[in-house]
Amino acid sequence: MYRSALVQRLLIYGLSGPIIALNLFLLYLVFRLFLHPITIVSIAAILAFLLNYPVKFFERIALTRPRAVIIVLLVTLTLLVILGVTLVPIVIDQTVQLLKKIPDWLTTSQTNLEQIEALAKKRRLPLDLRIISNQINANIQSLVQQLASAAVGLAGTLLSGLLDVILVVVLAFYMLLYGDRVWSGLFNFLPPLIRFPLVTSLQLNFHYFFLSQLLLALFMVITLTPVFLVLKVPFALLFAILIGISQLIPFIGATLGIGVVTFLVLLQNWWLAAQVAVVAIVIQQIKDNLLGPKLLGDFIGVNPIWIFVAILMGFEIAGLLGTLVAVPIAGTIKGTFDAIKKSNIRNSTTDSGGFE
């Protein structure tokens, strides 16, 4: 009897693995098929999450929710138009100028490497940088050519992006008005044991995570821009925005952004690149050690190793969007399981106490 039960259990475990893997693979295929609409809906949901804070503020001052939503969306659209008229043209112009300057910077970096190699030969040091410099130059030139070829379809890309922005704003508007009904309808299908901790963990992770990441990104842009201007860093605004946007990628984004900017400046001037790296790292440490803990706290509570795994899996599944939402999703899963575990322990303790 015992052996029969053991065989049945092994069969259940052995067959459930391939079935789960097959279902996950089919889910992945469906997700990739509808990636574009899923991306639009996800961005609209994140925007609705963020805009829900000012909407609640206006509701507290005796405004109805529809009026509060309309006011917040009008203010948001006004800010987007102002940025589109003032900041976006500057960033586009600096990006074009940067692409034009990179070949000259490559020539300068080649000369600098030759001088370093000549100095090493005078001191009889076995240093050969030609292979490294040629490989770096070939990779960067290939990247510049890819960017130049992609610029051919820039008009179509901008038009498609504008349509996507309009769809995101419209969806965010309806989510702010009717999102509570939709979410409650979806979560009502789940049993109460899972529904309540999942809703709480989801709101906590997504609300605070994206709000904090956005504020930290703004901090990096606002602090780095004047410092880069004082240091006379070329394309100061573009590089500060690049580091700020990379901050949206959790855990490793700011480091990657600083590394890319430092490398680009290094092609022109190694001393300036060292200054850029030191200043950016100091500001990053201030952000990570002073502002980050106050904004993020420990509400996610995910081990750094699992954060890396979640980011890699998110990028593989959904690209940049998957990278952005990987950490709050991981935090939501962990928070839900922790809440369920605590609830089970509490229930078992209560049952045992009642039995005694």
Side-chain angles (χ1 to χ4, degrees):
M1 187 65 124
Y2 174 77
R3 183 175 298 177
S4 176
L6 180 61
V7 171
Q8 290 179 357
R9 187 179 302 175
L10 291 176
L11 286 174
I12 291 173
Y13 289 153
L15 293 175
S16 62
I19 293 174
I20 293 174
L22 179 60
N23 289 332
L24 289 176
F25 179 70
L26 292 176
L27 184 63
Y28 171 76
L29 292 179
V30 173
F31 180 85
R32 297 298 297 181
L33 181 63
F34 298 100
L35 180 59
H36 186 255
I38 290 175
T39 302
I40 292 177
V41 173
S42 301
I43 295 175
I46 294 171
L47 181 61
F49 268 127
L50 297 176
L51 294 181
N52 194 45
Y53 287 101
V55 168
K56 288 184 177 180
F57 170 77
F58 283 112
E59 282 184 302
R60 293 193 192 101
I61 58 176
L63 283 179
T64 62
R65 186 169 182 85
R67 291 182 179 179
V69 170
I70 292 174
I71 291 175
V72 170
L73 282 180
L74 288 177
V75 173
T76 303
L77 289 175
T78 303
L79 292 176
L80 289 177
V81 170
I82 293 174
L83 290 176
V85 173
T86 58
L87 186 62
V88 173
I90 298 175
V91 173
I92 293 176
D93 180 67
Q94 289 195 4
T95 303
V96 173
Q97 295 298 324
L98 174 63
L99 294 177
K100 292 180 180 179
K101 285 286 186 180
I102 284 180
D104 296 334
W105 288 3
L106 290 174
T107 303
T108 304
S109 65
Q110 184 75 25
T111 303
N112 293 334
L113 289 176
E114 290 176 356
Q115 292 176 354
I116 294 174
E117 187 175 354
L119 182 62
K121 287 182 178 179
K122 287 183 180 180
R123 297 180 179 273
R124 297 180 180 179
L125 296 175
L127 185 64
D128 188 2
L129 300 176
R130 287 175 296 179
I131 298 177
I132 298 176
S133 64
N134 291 336
Q135 184 66 35
I136 293 174
N137 291 343
N139 291 335
I140 295 180
Q141 287 176 352
S142 175
L143 177 61
V144 173
Q145 291 176 357
Q146 292 176 4
L147 292 175
S149 61
V152 176
L154 182 61
T157 303
L158 289 177
L159 180 60
S160 175
L162 181 60
L163 293 176
D164 289 343
V165 169
I166 295 174
L167 287 175
V168 166
V169 173
V170 172
L171 277 174
F173 173 76
Y174 283 105
M175 285 181 180
L176 286 172
L177 287 178
Y178 309 111
D180 293 339
R181 303 176 191 175
V182 175
W183 288 114
S184 61
L186 290 175
F187 287 119
N188 282 336
F189 288 103
L190 299 175
L193 179 64
I194 300 176
R195 180 170 70 246
F196 295 116
L198 177 61
V199 171
T200 303
S201 181
L202 185 68
Q203 291 178 346
L204 180 66
N205 281 276
F206 273 81
H207 274 229
Y208 287 100
F209 179 80
F210 282 106
L211 182 62
S212 61
Q213 290 297 105
L214 184 61
L215 292 176
L216 292 175
L218 288 175
F219 169 78
M220 295 295 289
V221 174
I222 293 173
T223 53
L224 284 175
T225 300
V227 174
F228 284 175
L229 291 174
V230 171
L231 293 176
K232 296 182 179 180
V233 178
F235 313 110
L237 179 62
L238 176 63
F239 287 159
I241 292 177
L242 177 60
I243 295 176
I245 291 176
S246 65
Q247 168 63 44
L248 297 176
I249 301 175
F251 205 68
I252 59 173
T255 302
L256 293 176
I258 292 172
V260 171
V261 170
T262 302
F263 177 75
L264 290 174
V265 179
L266 182 63
L267 294 176
Q268 183 192 22
N269 189 325
W270 69 269
W271 173 240
L272 182 60
Q275 292 176 312
V276 167
V278 170
V279 168
I281 291 173
V282 169
I283 295 178
Q284 181 193 13
Q285 292 303 311
I286 294 174
K287 180 261 300 178
D288 289 339
N289 296 308
L290 296 180
L291 297 179
K294 293 182 179 180
L295 291 174
L296 284 169
D298 57 354
F299 70 92
I300 292 180
V302 181
N303 189 292
I305 296 177
W306 292 116
I307 290 179
F308 272 114
V309 173
I311 291 173
L312 292 175
M313 291 179 63
F315 179 79
E316 183 66 26
I317 293 173
L320 180 59
L321 176 64
T323 304
L324 294 177
V325 302
V327 174
I329 288 177
T332 299
I333 295 173
K334 182 180 183 299
T336 303
F337 277 105
D338 289 344
I340 294 174
K341 187 185 300 183
K342 290 180 181 178
S343 178
N344 290 334
I345 293 175
R346 192 182 303 112
N347 292 334
S348 63
T349 304
T350 304
D351 293 340
S352 62
F355 178 77
E356 292 175 355

